[in-house]
Amino acid sequence: MSVEEGYEQQRYAEPSNFLAMLAERAEDSFWGELGCEVIHAEAGKAIIGMEADRRHLNLLGIVHGGVLMSLLDNAMGLAIMLACRDEKTVTATMNTHFLENAKAGRLRCEGEIIHRIGRTITLQAFVKDEDDRLIAWGSGTYRIVTKTK
């Protein structure tokens, strides 16, 4: 390990510093493009939100299903990143149930780990609108891809 890597590892050892680093990196990514923000996050659980506006709607004037799926994936992904900080994970499968439609406005998504075995981690998440209506529910299987030494 180089001195720089050691410094980075020490700098982000604190959960709040690690979360701040993730937030900084996410600004210029798809997360930032969607307008996602962290409401609460801890190892294994994350709550994120976004303001759905015109650009997030489909031709029917409701929030596009891809936006909802991205919220589910982002919340579950954040929960797993905080739980498995020294490992890299990727989404292996994702199932989504669209339960209600949502119009432009505030959306909140909560994701949490529900099972782990070996290199496979299963999570669930849901999206609610500003009226607390359940809009979508999903589950995902994530795979640890960091090679063991």
Side-chain angles (χ1 to χ4, degrees):
M1 175 185 315
S2 73
V3 173
E4 287 177 359
E5 290 171 330
Y7 172 74
E8 287 295 303
Q9 205 170 37
Q10 183 180 9
R11 181 176 166 202
Y12 298 122
E14 287 295 315
S16 60
N17 291 346
F18 184 70
L19 189 56
M21 180 271 300
L22 289 176
E24 182 181 315
R25 289 183 180 176
E27 285 179 20
D28 293 331
S29 71
F30 187 62
W31 167 284
E33 188 65 29
L34 274 177
C36 294
E37 60 187 26
V38 176
I39 296 170
H40 173 81
E42 60 189 66
K45 184 173 184 176
I47 304 171
I48 65 172
M50 68 170 283
E51 190 70 32
D53 58 37
R54 187 170 167 235
R55 67 190 166 128
H56 298 108
L57 307 180
N58 64 20
L59 295 176
L60 299 175
I62 59 177
V63 177
H64 192 283
V67 171
L68 298 172
M69 291 180 77
S70 294
L71 270 175
L72 294 166
D73 191 34
N74 283 341
M76 291 187 287
L78 180 58
I80 202 168
M81 279 191 272
L82 292 171
C84 304
R85 288 177 36 186
D86 295 330
E87 300 171 296
K88 292 182 181 174
T89 60
V90 295
T91 308
T93 65
M94 195 169 140
N95 297 302
T96 304
H97 300 266
F98 301 104
L99 306 170
E100 294 275 348
N101 62 47
K103 304 224 184 274
R106 188 82 185 148
L107 297 174
R108 185 183 82 250
C109 183
E110 298 186 28
E112 67 178 343
I113 293 175
I114 59 172
H115 186 260
R116 179 175 182 169
I117 185 165
R119 301 176 71 75
T120 304
I121 304 168
T122 304
L123 294 93
Q124 67 179 356
F126 61 85
V127 177
K128 289 189 173 184
D129 69 5
E130 56 197 1
D131 296 324
D132 209 35
R133 292 182 318 132
L134 184 60
I135 304 301
W137 178 87
S139 62
T141 303
Y142 292 70
R143 187 89 175 131
I144 297 170
V145 296
T146 311
K147 297 198 187 299
T148 56
K149 294 178 181 181

